[in-house]
Amino acid sequence: MKFVDEYQDNELAGKIASEIATLSTIPIKLMEFCGGHTHAIMRYGLRQLLPENIEMRSGPGCPVCVTANADLDKAIALSLLPNTIVTTFGDMIRVPGSYSSLQQARARGADIRIVYSTTDALEIARNNPEKAVIFIGIGFETTAPTVAAAILRAQKEGIENFSVLSCHKLTPPVIRALLESGEVKIDGIICPGHVCVITGSRPYEFISREYKIACAISGFEPLDILLCVYKLVKQIENGSPRMEIAYSRAIKPEGNKPALKLMNEVFEPADTVWRGIGTVPCSGLRIKATYQCFDAAKIFKINMKPARENKACRCGDILRATATPVECPLFGKACTPEKPIGPCMVSSEGACAAYYQYRRPEKEHDAA
Amino acid sequence: MTQDENDIILLAHGSGGKLSHELVENRFLPFLSNPVLAKLDDSAVFEVGGRIAFTTDSYVVNPLFFPGGDIGKLAVCGTVNDLSMSGAVPLYMSLALIIEEGLPMKELEQVLQSIKATADETGTQIITGDTKVVSHGQADKLFINTAGIGIVPDDINVSGAGARIGDKIILSGTIGDHGIAIMSLREGLKFSVPVESDCQPLNKLVQQMLEVSSTIRCLRDPTRGGLATTLNEIATQSQKGIFINEAAVPVKEAVRAACELLGLDPLYIANEGKLVAVVESSEADKILASMKRNLCGKDAAIIGEITAEHAGKTIMKTRLGSSRMLDMLSGDLLPRIC
């Protein structure tokens, strides 16, 4: 298939992998920010192609996983209000909140609909004028502009029954928070590909400039990721960290200006809570006061029970890259995709789901 | 309103009274009639001899009509294929409809016509049936249940448990066509090359395969859960390992593209007209060649083999040459967020 097969070429992958092996002399730890990257790495077995001195860690780049339980609980509570339709991206539906999940709420009669885009959510609002239609806005800079566009269109068309519960998050502040904490020593970061299509590469330049850490932006095909690792290894070995774009077919340094304009028109940065990481200053997006009639957090007043977490679940550590999924005592035992305890096992971008679904076959003598 | 628009299913059509009788006599029998059904007794009475295969399945597809098929064709193919996967020759079927009031009579007739055409194609007869009508919102237009009876010839023993170490695994054609056809229609996705459902009866393909070789150990149709789930079922049932080569699995370009777009894996997408066969290694090429002569098997390929290692598990060699576990489908197939 055009535009895909070129980036999955077996021979070329082998060549890049052997270049990496030749180039790489010291043990290093790389963090792939995006859950999408973790999935591609596991799905194509890329770690088997890399030398053992290169360790890969997943980062906090899974929007569903980093959504705080309190936000999830709010979404569930909203879905239980009378005359309400909650619309959401599919991933959210199975994530366990403090007490329940959207899936359980739906089974008990809540009207919760999976949509592929905010346009679908608007359509539902148009077709159900007697109901309040709430869209659960999760995602990073990739998704936020489309949600902003939906709000602007709702305003233009006078769709008054549409609102958004904004749980959107910004990626550069959380990378800074992780690096500031110093909890985990990272030598290089595979920066988010889809996010940078919107933001451009500039907001990430601080990683190499201020923290002297190698960084490069990668696409999501196996060759993209291998090329990115190659660039990172080269930067590390040469002691010359800098921002590189290893996804030039999609990313411009300045990003997508019209999308950014939409996002900045409707949203403004606000402090927000990330699961496992805590409150990160100016890392969330809240709806500006001008558009508050579309802000579900302002429209609906709900009493919430305090949020709670399963103490044994290590999703938080995994999102901070201080642990890998296999280090969690629940992984693959009490916590599986069928009976997930933490969000990282649920989301199609969750690290635990990727490690579980695409795990390597055990050696026969280990299995006994 | 035109007369056609008023010609819809009413609750009274399910009351058991005059309208119910009219429905059966004027709408069902003209399409489905055969000597056993036409008696309209409470049960169908018929004779069969030998080992009997018996199966049932329900169909709730939305939308009712899709590129490559409709719920009627699906309801016949599904049951015929389940019988075929036991090596049985399908003979008779039951047909039960749960209809939501308001269904246009024209749509019902289109479905019945399709049932008739598919039953004829497979050489099966509908010999008993039932209709219920439920009020608006209690069903989604039309649900169908079919059950089927077939005869398993004496020398045929096909079962998931029968896989032996060294056996080859043959897949009869491209995967994911049905699931992607339905999903694209539901989500309003349009492709330059439209994807059609592969919904088709496999009984003739199976009979042809059984004629050329007596070493077909296992047959399975990878419907919901897709190829990955079916392979895992065979691995579990046989307590042998399965090793497949991702690059050998045929996938249509448009299906791959749709999967890329929606963040899905074709290995987990439903098929309605494909089969997986586990066969003796030395006969694999002969069986493959015979499958390729049938339209339903023209894209058939050997995709892997049964191994002693990793009993009960499926291992896949990826396109990049690395290997990983291939698990069963877990939960629903959901699109990704970004």
Side-chain angles (χ1 to χ4, degrees), chain A residues 313-333:
Chain A
C313 169
R314 293 194 66 186
C315 277
D317 299 335
I318 293 159
L319 292 166
R320 293 198 313 278
T322 60
T324 63
V326 288
E327 290 169 57
C328 174
L330 306 179
F331 178 80
K333 298 183 182 86

Side-chain angles (χ1 to χ4, degrees), chain A residues 12-254:
Chain A
L12 212 48
K15 273 187 199 160
I16 305 178
S18 88
E19 289 277 327
I20 293 172
T22 315
L23 197 63
S24 179
T25 58
I26 48 168
I28 55 168
K29 205 178 267 177
L30 304 181
M31 181 179 83
E32 74 272 6
F33 178 85
C34 272
H37 285 141
T38 307
H39 271 256
I41 289 166
M42 300 306 289
R43 181 174 172 189
Y44 296 103
L46 294 186
R47 295 195 324 177
Q48 295 167 43
L49 303 181
L50 294 175
E52 280 186 3
N53 59 310
I54 300 181
E55 191 187 329
M56 307 288 290
R57 285 283 169 105
S58 315
C62 162
V64 168
C65 307
V66 294
T67 300
N69 260 0
D71 287 335
L72 196 54
D73 294 347
K74 214 178 283 171
I76 296 165
L78 287 173
S79 78
L80 296 171
L81 293 174
N83 288 319
T84 302
I85 301 173
V86 159
T87 56
T88 172
F89 292 134
D91 260 21
M92 282 296 276
I93 210 117
R94 291 169 57 215
V95 181
S98 304
Y99 307 94
S100 171
S101 67
L102 284 169
Q103 179 174 253
Q104 282 162 335
R106 186 171 66 178
R108 291 200 184 93
D111 193 346
I112 299 169
R113 305 189 193 176
I114 293 176
V115 291
Y116 283 76
S117 80
T118 47
T119 324
D120 297 345
L122 263 188
E123 187 64 23
I124 292 171
R126 261 187 225 109
N127 295 338
N128 296 275
E130 74 293 354
K131 301 225 168 151
V133 175
I134 305 165
F135 178 74
I136 309 300
I138 63 154
F140 300 133
E141 295 90 334
T142 336
T143 353
T146 66
V147 178
I151 289 178
L152 290 173
R153 195 186 295 176
Q155 188 191 46
K156 197 174 163 198
E157 292 182 25
I159 305 174
E160 289 172 358
N161 60 329
F162 177 73
S163 64
V164 173
L165 180 70
S166 176
C167 312
H168 291 289
K169 291 184 167 51
L170 298 170
T171 50
V174 80
I175 296 183
R176 186 181 283 279
L178 285 186
L179 297 177
E180 253 335 283
S181 80
E183 252 193 321
V184 58
K185 193 193 159 294
I186 297 284
D187 302 289
I189 297 179
I190 299 179
C191 292
H194 292 153
V195 167
C196 290
V197 171
I198 304 293
T199 63
S201 56
R202 288 189 187 127
Y204 301 86
E205 285 172 356
F206 75 93
I207 298 171
S208 55
R209 202 177 50 230
E210 295 178 36
Y211 294 92
K212 309 296 172 218
I213 288 174
C215 55
I217 303 165
S218 172
F220 294 84
E221 295 300 335
L223 282 191
D224 289 323
I225 296 172
L226 285 173
L227 178 69
C228 185
V229 171
Y230 173 79
K231 284 181 184 287
L232 291 175
V233 169
K234 205 167 172 185
Q235 288 183 30
I236 296 164
E237 293 286 337
N238 293 341
S240 60
R242 63 196 177 93
M243 164 53 72
E244 280 190 271
I245 298 174
Y247 191 23
S248 55
R249 67 183 184 283
I251 289 167
K252 291 181 284 193
E254 70 276 18

Side-chain angles (χ1 to χ4, degrees), chain A residues 5 43-44 48 359 364, chain B residues 256 310 322-325:
Chain A
D5 287 341
R43 181 174 172 189
Y44 296 103
Q48 295 167 43
R359 62 201 183 277
E364 289 292 280
Chain B
R256 259 187 88 190
H310 308 300
S322 52
S323 57
R324 64 167 169 90
M325 297 261 292

Side-chain angles (χ1 to χ4, degrees), chain B residues 80-226:
Chain B
V80 162
N81 291 348
D82 279 350
L83 290 172
S84 306
M85 295 310 124
S86 312
V89 178
L91 295 176
Y92 301 114
M93 287 177 64
S94 70
L95 172 71
L97 308 179
I98 296 174
I99 312 175
E100 184 187 22
E101 64 174 330
L103 180 78
M105 206 59 94
K106 207 171 149 195
E107 288 189 18
L108 178 65
E109 285 187 352
Q110 270 174 289
V111 171
L112 291 170
Q113 200 157 23
S114 171
I115 289 173
K116 161 73 175 162
T118 317
D120 284 353
E121 187 187 340
T122 58
T124 53
Q125 289 186 335
I126 313 281
I127 54 168
T128 183
D130 180 51
T131 309
K132 294 283 184 294
V133 179
V134 296
S135 26
H136 191 73
Q138 291 190 328
D140 188 6
K141 295 186 200 76
L142 174 63
F143 295 160
I144 299 184
N145 171 276
T146 53
I149 283 177
I151 298 290
V152 188
D154 281 343
D155 49 344
I156 303 288
N157 279 301
V158 179
S159 157
R164 293 184 202 170
I165 294 158
D167 283 355
K168 295 284 184 213
I169 300 165
I170 306 178
L171 174 66
S172 69
T174 55
I175 55 165
D177 302 9
H178 177 74
I180 291 298
I182 298 289
M183 236 177 285
S184 354
L185 198 61
R186 225 181 267 174
E187 305 308 331
L189 301 175
K190 290 191 179 74
F191 299 101
S192 50
V193 185
V195 181
E196 284 203 354
S197 165
D198 58 354
C199 176
Q200 59 187 347
L202 296 170
N203 56 321
K204 291 190 176 145
L205 177 68
V206 168
Q207 274 151 37
Q208 198 178 317
M209 291 165 70
L210 291 170
E211 275 162 25
V212 297
S213 174
S214 58
T215 66
I216 294 170
R217 320 248 203 248
C218 163
L219 292 167
R220 250 325 135 79
D221 58 338
T223 51
R224 278 176 310 166

Side-chain angles (χ1 to χ4, degrees), chain A residues 1 4-5 8 10 43-46 48 64 90-91 116 221-222 337-338 349 356 358-359 361-362 364, chain B residues 187 253 256-257 260 262 265 268 309-310 315 318-320 322-325 327 330 334-338:
Chain A
M1 183 175 28
V4 173
D5 287 341
Q8 297 185 353
N10 193 357
R43 181 174 172 189
Y44 296 103
L46 294 186
Q48 295 167 43
V64 168
D91 260 21
Y116 283 76
E221 295 300 335
E338 294 75 42
E349 290 168 280
Y356 186 83
Y358 304 127
R359 62 201 183 277
E362 296 156 354
E364 289 292 280
Chain B
E187 305 308 331
E253 191 114 313
R256 259 187 88 190
E260 287 286 336
L262 297 169
D265 188 338
Y268 293 96
E309 258 198 330
H310 308 300
I315 311 296
T318 70
R319 286 172 196 279
L320 294 196
S322 52
S323 57
R324 64 167 169 90
M325 297 261 292
D327 224 336
S330 155
L334 296 169
R336 67 172 165 226
I337 293 171
C338 74

